[in-house]
Amino acid sequence: MSDLEEALKKGFTVTGEVGPVKGTSTESLIKKTLAIKDYVSAVNVTDNQTAVMRLSSLASCLVIQREGIETVLQMTCRDRNRIAMQSDLLGAWALGIRNVLAISGDHQYLGDHPQAKGVYDIDSIQEIAMIRRMNEGYDLIGNELKGKTDYFIGCAANPFADPFEFRALRLQKKVNAGAQFVQTQCVFDADLFEKWMEEVRARGLDKKVHILAGITPLKSARMANYMATNVAGIKMPKQLIERVEKSDDQKKTGVEVAKELIGEVKNIKGVDGIHIMAVGWERIIPSLFD
Amino acid sequence: MIVAERKELEEIKEMVEPYDRILILGCNTCATIRLYGGEKECEKLSIELGDVFKDKKISYKVVERQCEQEFLEDEAVKKEIEENDCVLSMSCSIGPQTVVEIYPNSIAVPAQNTSFIGRAVEHGIFQERCALCGDCIIDETFGLCPIARCAKSLMNGPCGGSHDGKCEVDPERDCVWQLIYDRASRLGRIDDLLGIIEVKDWSNGMHGTRKEVKHV
Ligand code: SF4
Ligand code: SF4
């Protein structure tokens, strides 16, 4: 059992996220990891996030695990076909990675190589089912593996994207495919999140999958505005942006907001933890737990 | 129908530059209906090229269908192809390939970027409807194709970027999963969407080895 699974079985769990840089430098990766290490059960490593080409997620996971903390390997469907995905999943397991997060990935057109041919051979739900099969000892086609994986399988969910009514249904599909934990998109509107959780509970999913609510501390009003308008699938209440805008100390207010949101989601039935995406502001994470 | 988009004049100029006698060859089927390679467009391109290349002989002709051998084997067409040293095809990219297969000594270049198969949603506006995957699944998606119409070809529901019915990749473009959901909801069959569509067999389509279909 992975550390993350164990933590989730025990109680409220915190995970973090770091993004590799473009280049071979692992310095900032290690720095960010060390900043959050004592506060999280696992570190999720993004896979060419926002479709910008960077150091690979798998390599970054290994670098991070050397620091003595477990990682969650993100694997998007954008850049690899089913052969490469399975091959990398076998490799990652062989090298000590125990958690994997299956996601579609941001479209290549939105990144820094918009001319690239996207792969999308399989989708994220098919990826989850494929990993489950590998955990059972078989590849996608049914060939037996010499040495199987035993990944703790994660997925992403965006409670705030459209169509709203499809959102819990889609999570149900992911759970049926084999997802064991889910990280949500950043929550800025706890009421809307609770509305989604109601649907999730109505489908009995809170009993079947560990739910980690996404939390992103806002560093400034500029960041809030940027996220509200430029990041796909984010819903940010106007009052929240105004509150940060009006503040004399925007960073401080950002931390306050994040702490309040953590408090609110913690009280929502079915939420098993939080997933902190600090997007470059990792050193603030300790102050979220003061 | 097959939808294409004419290449920029600059690119066309480079392609035909080495030749003295250029035959612009239009097509009366998809290319005409789709407003990209019929008589009118051929005439327009011949004027544009004539302005740039004063000493080249530039003419145009339109055939019924460039994808069918019999129309290209027509005596009058044959004569023109043989009298010119470059065919600049205004049809979809099947045209120039058919020309060189029938006339092995000829040179044929494409004036179009062949884009997709689809339909006109309003006059002059065309949208893709099928990506020729060779393994049709639209019976499971209420008749709408997620392979061609979802930017990520997602088969099991919308990604997290679907917003107000539009796609994260292009706010002008409908998110097909919103459309599929709307249809399921209109028909009162939302629970049908819970079924998981299994990984696709691409071997019968674009990515496969099968490049011939027999109807005999
Ligand atoms: S599923 Fe395949 S064959 Fe059917 S419409 Fe879509 S791309 Fe075309
Ligand atoms: S927004 Fe809709 S159409 Fe666009 S990639 Fe996501 S699911 Fe596909």
Side-chain angles (χ1 to χ4, degrees):
Chain A
M1 196 187 295
S2 77
D3 292 352
L4 177 59
E5 184 173 6
E6 215 173 299
L8 280 162
K9 289 215 157 112
K10 278 198 197 126
F12 198 81
T13 300
V14 180
T15 56
E17 176 161 308
V18 299
V21 297
K22 185 189 277 293
T24 53
S25 165
T26 55
E27 227 171 279
S28 77
L29 204 61
I30 295 172
K31 218 170 120 194
K32 288 181 205 165
T33 303
L34 294 177
I36 61 176
K37 188 178 170 216
D38 296 337
Y39 302 89
V40 298
S41 296
V43 176
N44 172 89
V45 185
T46 49
D47 178 10
N48 295 296
Q49 69 270 30
T50 61
V52 172
M53 188 284 293
R54 301 164 209 253
L55 182 67
S56 86
S57 175
L58 173 49
S60 304
C61 281
L62 296 173
V63 169
I64 291 172
Q65 293 208 157
R66 273 194 238 139
E67 303 303 320
I69 177 122
E70 205 177 78
T71 57
V72 179
L73 171 75
Q74 269 199 14
M75 189 174 284
T76 71
C77 301
R78 177 191 59 228
D79 309 320
R80 300 170 186 81
N81 71 4
R82 61 189 81 180
I83 300 173
M85 284 175 120
Q86 292 178 95
S87 173
D88 281 354
L89 285 162
L90 292 177
W93 180 267
L95 292 168
I97 289 162
R98 296 295 175 255
N99 311 294
V100 59
L101 189 95
I103 48 170
S104 317
D106 295 313
H107 196 275
Q108 67 277 3
Y109 191 69
L110 304 175
D112 70 342
H113 288 59
Q115 307 86 350
K117 183 176 184 200
V119 179
Y120 299 112
D121 173 14
I122 64 176
D123 68 22
S124 58
I125 291 183
Q126 296 163 344
E127 181 186 0
I128 294 166
M130 180 177 83
I131 301 170
R132 175 156 81 178
R133 228 179 146 97
M134 294 174 77
N135 282 354
E136 286 161 1
Y138 300 93
D139 71 6
L140 190 57
I141 226 72
N143 298 311
E144 208 167 323
L145 301 171
K146 282 198 182 68
K148 60 180 183 143
T149 60
D150 189 16
Y151 282 115
F152 186 44
I153 309 171
C155 67
N158 187 353
F160 313 110
D162 295 319
F164 175 76
E165 305 78 11
F166 207 133
R167 292 295 147 187
L169 185 145
R170 188 157 151 86
L171 180 61
Q172 188 170 354
K173 286 180 84 157
K174 291 183 176 183
V175 173
N176 290 347
Q180 298 163 286
F181 72 98
V182 49
Q183 292 174 190
T184 78
Q185 178 60 284
C186 322
V187 179
F188 292 109
D189 185 335
D191 293 339
L192 208 55
F193 180 68
E194 162 60 5
K195 208 172 135 210
W196 175 73
M197 281 299 298
E198 254 170 46
E199 297 277 323
V200 168
R201 289 192 301 266
R203 291 174 184 270
L205 300 177
D206 55 320
K207 305 248 166 18
K208 296 187 184 153
V209 66
H210 297 288
I211 298 170
L212 295 162
I215 296 288
T216 291
L218 294 169
K219 207 172 179 177
S220 62
R222 204 170 58 99
M223 174 184 177
N225 277 308
Y226 178 84
M227 289 193 81
T229 44
N230 292 309
V231 181
I234 297 263
K235 283 231 166 81
M236 193 161 334
K238 258 213 184 79
Q239 311 89 286
L240 182 65
I241 302 179
E242 281 166 14
R243 183 171 154 198
V244 184
E245 260 167 1
K246 285 195 189 116
S247 159
D248 300 330
D249 187 345
Q250 298 194 342
K251 285 186 183 169
K252 196 172 144 230
T253 308
V255 171
E256 270 167 29
V257 169
K259 284 169 99 168
E260 285 166 25
L261 283 166
I262 293 172
E264 283 176 88
V265 298
K266 228 177 179 168
N267 284 327
I268 294 175
K269 195 169 161 249
V271 173
D272 301 299
I274 52 171
H275 174 61
I276 304 174
M277 294 167 271
V279 280
W281 201 22
E282 284 70 22
R283 64 194 160 72
I284 203 66
I285 290 181
S287 59
L288 298 179
F289 301 100
D290 285 349
Chain B
M1 280 216 176
I2 298 173
V3 180
E5 207 175 8
R6 211 199 79 185
K7 287 176 182 285
E8 295 291 332
L9 190 61
E10 274 311 302
E11 196 183 342
I12 297 179
K13 267 161 56 186
E14 267 175 45
M15 289 191 298
V16 300
E17 169 88 76
Y19 308 102
D20 295 327
R21 286 160 302 167
I22 298 153
L23 171 66
I24 299 173
L25 195 62
C27 181
N28 244 336
T29 309
C30 309
T32 298
I33 299 167
R34 293 299 178 238
L35 312 170
Y36 60 81
E39 175 112 30
K40 228 173 78 202
E41 292 78 23
C42 289
E43 188 189 355
K44 180 167 169 271
L45 182 58
S46 76
I47 295 167
E48 284 176 69
L49 285 176
D51 282 348
V52 197
F53 298 120
K54 304 262 187 252
D55 46 1
K56 291 191 196 295
K57 178 186 151 287
I58 295 161
S59 59
Y60 67 88
K61 185 167 191 66
V62 180
V63 299
E64 195 51 34
R65 267 193 290 287
Q66 284 190 34
C67 53
E68 276 185 55
Q69 196 151 342
E70 59 169 291
F71 296 109
L72 286 175
E73 279 173 342
D74 173 87
E75 276 309 314
V77 178
K78 179 172 190 232
K79 190 163 166 276
E80 295 225 27
I81 291 177
E82 286 174 347
E83 276 173 3
N84 283 282
D85 33 49
C86 176
V87 173
L88 175 56
S89 173
M90 288 288 275
S91 73
C92 76
S93 308
I94 302 172
Q97 302 192 55
T98 313
V99 170
V100 299
E101 280 171 42
I102 300 174
Y103 301 101
N105 296 327
S106 70
I107 296 288
V109 295
Q112 312 283 354
N113 290 320
T114 304
S115 310
F116 51 74
I117 60 175
R119 70 178 196 90
V121 289
E122 51 188 280
H123 184 72
I125 312 237
F126 304 96
Q127 283 183 1
E128 184 173 15
R129 287 294 179 263
C130 171
L132 312 170
C133 78
D135 177 23
C136 197
I137 55 165
I138 62 175
D139 54 310
E140 297 182 71
T141 53
F142 295 94
L144 303 175
C145 175
I147 306 301
R149 298 174 70 181
C150 164
K152 300 176 189 170
S153 294
L154 302 180
M155 287 155 259
N156 285 291
C159 76
S162 179
H163 181 63
D164 281 344
K166 299 296 175 192
C167 174
E168 73 166 32
V169 179
D170 174 3
E172 300 286 304
R173 166 178 174 162
D174 290 331
C175 166
V176 74
W177 275 104
Q178 174 76 53
L179 301 178
I180 294 169
Y181 178 82
D182 291 345
R183 271 186 55 68
S185 145
R186 168 196 294 255
L187 300 170
R189 288 171 57 186
I190 286 172
D191 281 343
D192 287 16
L193 294 172
L194 257 179
I196 292 177
I197 296 183
E198 301 283 332
V199 293
K200 262 183 89 66
D201 178 359
W202 298 105
S203 73
N204 200 28
M206 245 194 329
H207 303 270
T209 49
R210 180 157 175 231
K211 295 297 173 203
E212 195 170 294
V213 176
K214 290 199 174 82
H215 290 298
V216 279

